[in-house]
Amino acid sequence: IVHWPFSATQRRKLNWVQLAGHKGNFKAADEGTILKKFSENEMQCFEKLKCDALLPFVPGYHGVVEKDGESFLHMTDLLVNFDLPNVMDCKMGVRTYLEEELVRARERPKPREDLYRKMVEVDKDGPTPEEHSQRGVTKPRYMQWRETLSSTHTLGFRIEGIKKSDGTCRTDFKKTRSKQNVTQVFKDFVGGNSSILKSYLRRLSEIRQALQTSEFFKIHEVIGSSLLFIHDHTGNAQVWIIDFGKTTALPEGQTLNHAISWKEGNREDGYLWGLENLINTLESISNE
Ligand code: ATP
Ligand code: MG
Ligand code: MG
């Protein structure tokens, strides 16, 4: 039992929330920082971001550290300046797997029963008659099916999870797809606070502007990255770009547009299109 008054460390532990990924992937670290399980790919992104227009919008990066025999990326805890924060993770883009993952999944596309079961669990009408009779679904088929459930395909972003200041936490947005439902979730999240909404919109347009000038953004396929929305009762509201685990450099000389549609082979991620839809969603609430 923790008794009031809480120390800064205790407050942090109570506030900290992880809305995606495996629970073991994060550890608390020194005051105001956290550790995320090391990935070579994500580390390289953080290194490249050190001199990029996106730097003000990504968590501070403090290098690689070893703890209990494991490697971690040391970064700023974005929740630290908030008092009982409300947090939302929005995964950006029109797909959440890399083209190369799809190619790999196709190499030996044998029907898998575990994926069949996962599909049926979400939607018993998901599998085709043939998949039902063989009680199996291939990996590429499963990957593509999963994306059609949420707003990833239709809006270019999806809600991964929300934690509210009252402690309630929801990560059951797998089937939140329609613009109307997504709008309702955002409305609940900001609780009708128009000044918070305005701060979010201001920050999102700064992010859009930075993305348009970023060299990093131009030459990376940005997959599975999220915008993390954070606000609290003091009126503090921020948005940060997180999770570069799957953000992949393009071959030398190649660039992406990030707004045109994805056709397999063009590697487009729809990030800017999704951001536009996200901004429109918040604007529509703001104008009500
Ligand atoms: P996945 O790939 O499944 O999305 P992951 O293991 O790559 O997960 P992240 O998406 O980077 O992990 O982070 C998971 C969650 O942890 C985020 O949704 C957010 O709630 C929290 N989080 C991540 N980085 C930070 C940070 N710097 N400060 C505060 N919270 C963070
Ligand atoms: Mg993530
Ligand atoms: Mg990730």
Side-chain angles (χ1 to χ4, degrees):
I1 301 170
V2 185
H3 293 281
W4 191 87
F6 302 136
S7 71
T9 317
Q10 285 166 334
R11 275 192 87 87
R12 249 182 88 215
K13 284 206 177 119
L14 291 172
N15 275 341
W16 167 256
V17 58
Q18 186 187 330
L19 292 172
H22 295 290
K23 288 295 166 216
N25 281 2
F26 287 85
K27 273 190 202 301
D30 295 343
E31 189 64 53
T33 66
I34 54 162
L35 302 176
K36 180 178 176 180
K37 202 181 170 107
F38 178 85
S39 109
E40 175 69 30
N41 191 69
E42 187 157 36
M43 180 202 69
Q44 277 180 9
C45 289
F46 275 118
E47 289 293 338
K48 293 187 218 163
L49 286 163
K50 277 180 179 169
C51 41
D52 189 84
L54 292 182
L55 186 64
F57 304 97
V58 303
Y61 170 65
H62 317 291
V64 180
V65 302
E66 305 285 321
K67 193 172 178 175
D68 310 324
E70 277 188 292
S71 298
F72 294 89
L73 302 174
H74 191 198
M75 62 178 108
T76 303
D77 177 0
L78 299 170
L79 305 185
V80 81
N81 291 320
F82 290 87
D83 187 45
L84 302 173
N86 297 274
V87 189
M88 177 192 261
D89 180 309
C90 257
K91 196 163 269 195
M92 300 303 291
V94 290
R95 61 190 159 94
T96 61
Y97 52 81
L98 292 160
E99 281 198 7
E100 64 174 50
E101 289 180 285
L102 192 56
V103 171
R104 234 183 302 129
R106 283 208 197 97
E107 277 168 10
R108 260 169 275 109
K110 56 173 190 295
R112 281 170 50 179
E113 193 178 349
D114 58 327
L115 299 181
Y116 170 78
R117 264 189 268 111
K118 274 167 107 173
M119 192 184 269
V120 171
E121 214 170 275
V122 176
D123 180 4
K124 64 174 174 29
D125 299 323
T128 61
E130 195 196 344
E131 286 164 341
H132 270 306
S133 69
Q134 67 192 14
R135 288 185 58 81
V137 169
T138 66
K139 178 91 180 285
R141 158 84 171 117
Y142 179 79
M143 285 161 75
Q144 294 188 297
W145 165 80
R146 201 179 38 187
E147 308 274 68
T148 64
L149 296 175
S150 72
S151 54
T152 287
H153 270 340
T154 52
L155 292 174
F157 68 89
R158 73 169 187 228
I159 299 159
E160 287 278 290
I162 290 182
K163 190 204 166 189
K164 302 228 273 200
S165 57
D166 62 11
T168 55
C169 195
R170 278 187 63 189
T171 52
D172 56 339
F173 297 108
K174 279 189 185 63
K175 292 206 265 187
T176 304
R177 178 173 48 190
S178 73
K179 177 139 190 187
Q180 198 186 344
N181 288 350
V182 170
T183 306
Q184 190 56 48
V185 174
F186 268 96
K187 240 191 231 174
D188 291 346
F189 178 62
V190 295
N193 187 325
S194 61
S195 104
I196 300 275
L197 256 176
K198 292 225 164 65
S199 300
Y200 276 153
L201 279 166
R202 219 177 301 122
R203 180 86 172 166
L204 287 175
S205 79
E206 285 165 17
I207 287 177
R208 176 173 53 189
Q209 203 165 6
L211 288 167
Q212 276 152 359
T213 58
S214 164
E215 282 303 312
F216 177 90
F217 190 54
K218 215 177 278 171
I219 57 168
H220 283 80
E221 182 184 359
V222 183
I223 299 296
S225 175
S226 288
L227 290 175
L228 196 68
F229 291 76
I230 317 167
H231 69 270
D232 68 15
H233 63 91
T234 70
N236 191 4
Q238 296 176 358
V239 186
W240 296 89
I241 306 171
I242 64 162
D243 196 359
F244 301 100
K246 282 192 185 181
T247 295
T248 310
L250 299 169
E252 184 88 37
Q254 205 176 313
T255 61
L256 288 185
N257 168 284
H258 297 288
I260 61 173
S261 56
W262 176 53
K263 307 247 166 9
E264 199 181 339
N266 75 2
R267 295 186 69 169
E268 289 291 346
D269 52 30
Y271 192 112
L272 284 179
W273 183 68
L275 180 58
E276 216 50 50
N277 289 329
L278 183 52
I279 289 173
N280 289 342
T281 302
L282 289 179
E283 271 170 352
S284 76
I285 300 172
S286 186
N287 293 335
E288 264 176 20

